[in-house]
Amino acid sequence: MTPVLHLRGHTVHARHGAVMHRFGYGVDYLLTAPEADQPRPRLLARNRAGLVSVHDADHGGPPGKGRGAAWLRDLLTREGVHIPNLSIRLLAQPRVLGHVFNPVSFWLCHDGSDQLRAVVAEVTNTFGDRHSYLCAHPDLAPITPQDRLTARKIFHVSPFQPVSGEYRFRFDIGTDKIGILIDYRDGADGGVHATLTGRLAPLTNRGILAACLRRPFGSRRVLALIHWQALRLFLKRAPYRTRPEPPAQEVSR
């Protein structure tokens, strides 16, 4: 059985339009199979406290009240997405010392031949709201690295971007590497080009300790970086928008 995999990744965000802005930083993600009893190192806990842990409650529903993979299966049924011999993987940042914040996590839906058929991008903002975008071809054809899947933006993420326009997703999901592109485009303000890339390797105790030394505050560091970049945009006089009410539906395309 495939063990839990560690993505020692790098993310880049580049803003286009009247106010240009770019930044990049390292980030650690785990690729897990939530419905499987995967081999994992001792320092990774599941659904319990630990130095580093993964919890079903952190995904598939409101933050802290999620249902994990059961939520995803219900969602696919409601949306009429039927994948033969469905296997589910989750690419997300883990809890570090009990704290987690994932700006975006990815539910990867493979068929019995291990072909990627659908992806659910689970987006969480700093206000505690969450919305997910279901990405799939209309005929559920395999998703290749060359494909661009679109979704209309209806969820508030950054106060420096409008809730309009569309996302274009590209997924290059390999056995030893990950490449995800999210290209947000809005006619009025330009848009944002965001990537998550890196190599995959089996997660080890040594890898956990190295990640904790490299980025000791986990997602607390991610939150701090988000607010630091927001301050930089504010000082650049980027237009600021107040938070609207989140959409009533939890998933859209």
Side-chain angles (χ1 to χ4, degrees), residues 223-233:
L223 275 171
L225 286 168
I226 288 173
H227 287 99
W228 167 242
Q229 299 302 333
L231 176 60
R232 292 181 64 194
L233 281 169

Side-chain angles (χ1 to χ4, degrees), residues 5-49:
L5 298 179
H6 178 197
L7 176 70
R8 185 175 173 178
H10 188 74
T11 183
V12 173
H13 290 238
R15 175 188 168 113
H16 308 291
V19 180
M20 306 288 284
H21 190 67
R22 180 184 175 91
F23 63 90
Y25 52 85
V27 64
D28 294 285
Y29 274 72
L30 300 185
L31 182 61
T32 64
E35 296 178 313
D37 185 16
Q38 288 183 286
R40 63 179 186 271
R42 288 178 177 269
L43 292 180
L44 176 64
R46 177 162 171 76
N47 290 327
R48 60 178 178 83

Side-chain angles (χ1 to χ4, degrees), residues 226-245:
I226 288 173
H227 287 99
W228 167 242
Q229 299 302 333
L231 176 60
R232 292 181 64 194
L233 281 169
F234 179 79
L235 293 175
K236 288 183 177 182
R237 300 184 183 278
Y240 185 92
R241 298 165 177 84
T242 58
R243 167 186 169 270
E245 284 298 312

Side-chain angles (χ1 to χ4, degrees), residues 138-151:
D139 62 355
L140 291 181
I143 298 171
T144 73
Q146 292 73 42
D147 293 331
R148 299 294 190 274
L149 302 174
T150 62

